Amino acid sequence: MKKIVLFLIFGLLMAGGIRAQQTQYLVFDFIKVEDDQIFDYIEFKDLMEKVYRQALTDGKIQGWDFWSLQSGADQEAFQYIMITYYNDPVNMMNGLDESAMMDYTKIAYPHLNDAQVANLFQNALDIKDTPMRLYMKEIVGTSDDFQMKPGVLASFDLMKAREGMFEAYEQAEMEVFRPIHQNKIEQGMMGHWSFLRTALPLGSQAKSTHLTMNMYKDYMQFFNSQEYEDMNQSVAQQKAVNEGLNSRDQKWVYLATLENVVR
């Protein structure tokens, strides 16, 4: 009996390790809605939650988030951020085509006929614009058990590695900044942190090359995190932090609140 229990525990640990090693690919859709269509859009995001929940059940995606923008450089250009999670780059690039979305809409609304579903879906598409889309690959993240649920906060920081310092910047995020964020999490000043690289090849004129996601359970935790200062940093560690900061340009910071989530 003990051998069976030990075998089961080992199996669970191995499964957890496999999940932890899986690379995530994320599509960020920055969405614009006209002021006179905001109430219609509330219905749209609720419809999308039902559709993406069907897609998750079908194994087509790994998750979906809908964020309301609180602050950022381009609030007039868009007010929402929608994130879809995939387990490989091919699925990310293919996304969910219109036919699949229609099928999932039919499942989510079984009382509607085909014509009604088509009308519902088309009306939803007509009220939004997507001025910017980012395809990202997660490079590294913190170890935590942060629970994604409506009301949590996120800071999406768009970065651009300086010319000739791409590798140095990535190394700084992984080796210098990740431990700092991990320490914040262990002190209860943060929920989750992850570092992402733009998945598509980019030229020198690209606005950003990387993105960091900083998650907080509420505003109290967010503001406490901003006040955090590691008083035990050595001179060498402070030097590494400064070099890391100088290896990239922080282009924009978007603060957002999670409204809908599918996991």
Side-chain angles (χ1 to χ4, degrees):
M1 184 65 181
K2 286 185 177 179
K3 288 184 178 180
I4 294 174
V5 172
L6 288 173
F7 179 78
L8 289 173
I9 292 173
F10 178 75
L12 289 172
L13 290 174
M14 286 296 291
I18 292 171
R19 284 195 297 271
Q21 293 168 14
Q22 288 180 341
T23 300
Q24 279 196 323
Y25 295 85
L26 297 78
V27 178
F28 288 73
D29 286 311
F30 293 76
I31 297 171
K32 169 69 175 178
V33 179
E34 297 300 330
D35 292 340
D36 61 351
Q37 295 177 319
I38 294 296
F39 289 108
D40 293 328
Y41 199 69
I42 292 174
E43 295 181 3
F44 165 79
K45 68 184 181 70
D46 291 339
L47 181 152
M48 288 295 102
E49 178 179 341
K50 294 176 182 177
V51 168
Y52 279 99
R53 194 169 297 283
Q54 295 296 333
L56 178 67
T57 301
D58 205 21
K60 298 297 185 182
I61 65 171
Q62 299 299 303
W64 175 84
D65 305 336
F66 188 89
W67 300 82
S68 176
L69 196 63
Q70 304 298 311
S71 64
D74 299 307
Q75 277 186 283
E76 293 185 0
F78 43 80
Q79 311 102 312
Y80 304 100
I81 300 174
M82 189 169 72
I83 308 174
T84 311
Y85 300 76
Y86 298 89
N87 60 1
D88 67 68
V90 175
N91 285 339
M92 174 182 70
M93 296 309 303
N94 287 334
L96 298 177
D97 60 31
E98 187 169 319
S99 176
M101 296 283 280
M102 288 284 288
D103 289 340
Y104 292 137
T105 303
K106 292 176 184 177
I107 296 172
Y109 295 87
H111 59 288
L112 300 181
N113 60 38
D114 288 357
Q116 289 172 318
V117 168
N119 185 59
L120 176 69
F121 192 73
Q122 190 57 50
N123 288 342
L125 293 181
D126 289 343
I127 65 172
K128 77 176 182 67
D129 183 28
T130 306
M132 183 166 72
R133 172 175 289 171
L134 302 177
Y135 295 90
M136 311 294 294
K137 174 183 177 180
E138 184 178 40
I139 305 302
V140 69
T142 51
S143 299
D144 55 74
D145 58 356
F146 186 66
Q147 299 297 309
M148 293 288 287
K149 57 184 180 180
V152 304
L153 299 174
S155 169
F156 302 110
D157 301 3
L158 270 67
M159 313 288 193
K160 184 172 183 178
R162 296 193 185 280
E163 190 74 24
M165 304 188 75
F166 193 96
E167 292 184 4
Y169 167 59
E170 289 200 342
Q171 184 176 0
E173 286 285 6
M174 291 185 284
E175 298 180 5
V176 179
F177 296 115
R178 181 188 179 279
I180 292 174
H181 289 96
Q182 187 67 50
N183 191 35
K184 283 187 179 183
I185 289 169
E186 291 168 2
Q187 294 188 41
M189 303 175 110
M190 193 175 194
H192 173 74
W193 173 90
S194 58
F195 175 55
L196 298 86
R197 176 199 303 146
T198 300
L200 295 177
L202 292 170
S204 60
Q205 297 303 309
K207 290 184 178 181
S208 62
T209 58
H210 298 81
L211 182 148
T212 60
M213 297 171 60
N214 311 274
M215 304 286 183
Y216 309 91
K217 65 179 182 179
D218 52 33
Y219 275 109
M220 181 66 73
Q221 190 176 62
F222 170 75
F223 287 116
N224 285 338
S225 179
Q226 308 312 302
E227 297 296 324
Y228 172 82
E229 183 177 356
D230 190 349
M231 304 303 293
N232 296 318
Q233 273 190 349
S234 66
V235 173
Q237 288 172 324
Q238 291 175 1
K239 182 174 182 292
V241 168
N242 290 332
E243 288 176 351
L245 294 174
N246 291 331
S247 68
R248 61 34 167 195
D249 179 19
Q250 190 175 43
K251 303 299 291 184
W252 299 283
V253 176
Y254 299 102
L255 181 64
T257 302
L258 183 61
E259 293 196 353
N260 299 63
V261 59
V262 170
R263 287 292 186 275

